[in-house]
Each structure stands twice: as structure tokens, then as C-alpha cells.
Amino acid sequence: MKRTRVVILGSGAAVVVVAAGTAVAATQLGHHGAGTTSAAANCGSATARSVDASTVVTTADPGALTCFYNAARACRPASVQIVARGVDAGTDYVFKVDSGGKACRVTESSQTYVEPARHGPVRSVTCDRTGVTDVGVTLSCGGQDVLIPSAGGGHERPAVS
């Protein structure tokens, strides 16, 4: 008699079907995987419904938004990843403060994805830092205004001990 097992692990929901001790299928559901844009996010990451002039963060790593806010205010190198997530598609963004001096250079890298694993090309555009207020960092990236909130509005995930 063949036994079939389905194992679901974590929020990424990896599914493995095992028949008589042999893996016959494996797939990943519910997470788009690590795109090329996520490697440089040294402040951490956040999730939002959209990234625009009124970005509202739904979850964030502890301190990720504050880290980026402080770096952008002082024009120190740092980066944050923000994932604009829909039901089965979205865009990974990484906003990176590159240098100090008179012109505080910020770069936006983005990559669209469609579940389970189709990724678009990575696109990069230079942004102008147009303001740093209590609300967050405002940027103009490729003609689009973007707000990176200064804090998660109570949505930052608590640190795991």
C-alpha cells in the first residue's frame, strides 16, 4: 500500500508529496521567492498594498523603516525592501541611499512577479529625495512620487526572541 504525505511548512507553504518514501512532486506556494532586488536591503523589509505617494505599510521587520528614514535624513548609505503584494502578483522594490554630499542619491530597483515563480526584468531608476518629514521620506522616482513611511504605523512585526 502506497502512503501519500503532504507537508506544509511555514508561511511559504512548501508542499512535498511523498509516495512510498520517494519525493514525486515539490512546489512552492504563497511566496514569490527571492528576486534579484532583495539582496541589497540592509535595513530589512516591509510589505504594502502599493508603493506610491501614500504608501501604507501592512507589515515590516522591526526597525526597517526607522533605519531607512534615519539613513535618508542623514544621507548615509542604507536600503530597504518594500514588497507591494497583491493576491498572486506584485512588485519587489529596493530603495537604496547611495551617498552623501550635496546631492543625496537614491536608487529604486524594482522587479514584478506573478506566482508561483515568473519574474519580470529588474528595473532601476534614480530618485530625487524631495523631503524627509515625520511622516517619512518622499522621493520622486522616474516621475512618480513615492512615500517611504518613517514607521510601520504599528504594523512592524515584533522581534522573535
Side-chain angles (χ1 to χ4, degrees):
M1 177 175 160
K2 284 188 176 183
R3 293 184 315 180
T4 301
R5 263 189 272 185
V6 177
V7 180
I8 299 176
L9 304 170
S11 64
V15 177
V16 180
V17 178
V18 180
T22 306
V24 293
T27 187
Q28 184 161 347
L29 306 171
H31 180 66
H32 62 277
T36 347
T37 58
S38 63
N42 63 0
C43 283
S45 64
T47 303
R49 296 260 184 244
S50 63
V51 174
D52 53 27
S54 58
T55 303
V56 175
V57 168
T58 54
T59 61
D61 292 334
L65 299 171
T66 303
C67 170
F68 184 78
Y69 172 82
N70 289 333
R73 185 179 64 202
C75 206
R76 286 180 314 191
S79 57
V80 67
Q81 177 186 28
I82 300 183
V83 179
R85 183 169 296 173
V87 173
D88 60 356
T91 304
D92 283 333
Y93 294 90
V94 172
F95 294 92
K96 181 179 178 189
V97 179
D98 292 319
S99 62
K102 287 185 177 184
C104 187
R105 185 173 162 194
V106 178
T107 303
E108 171 198 297
S109 297
S110 62
Q111 182 177 36
T112 59
Y113 67 88
V114 177
E115 298 288 359
R118 289 187 295 164
H119 298 288
V122 175
R123 301 177 193 271
S124 292
V125 63
T126 301
C127 304
D128 293 323
R129 185 186 66 169
T130 57
V132 179
T133 66
D134 290 345
V135 174
V137 179
T138 53
L139 305 168
S140 178
C141 303
Q144 179 181 350
D145 292 333
V146 174
L147 168 68
I148 309 300
S150 59
H155 298 288
E156 289 186 320
R157 292 186 290 263
V160 177
S161 335

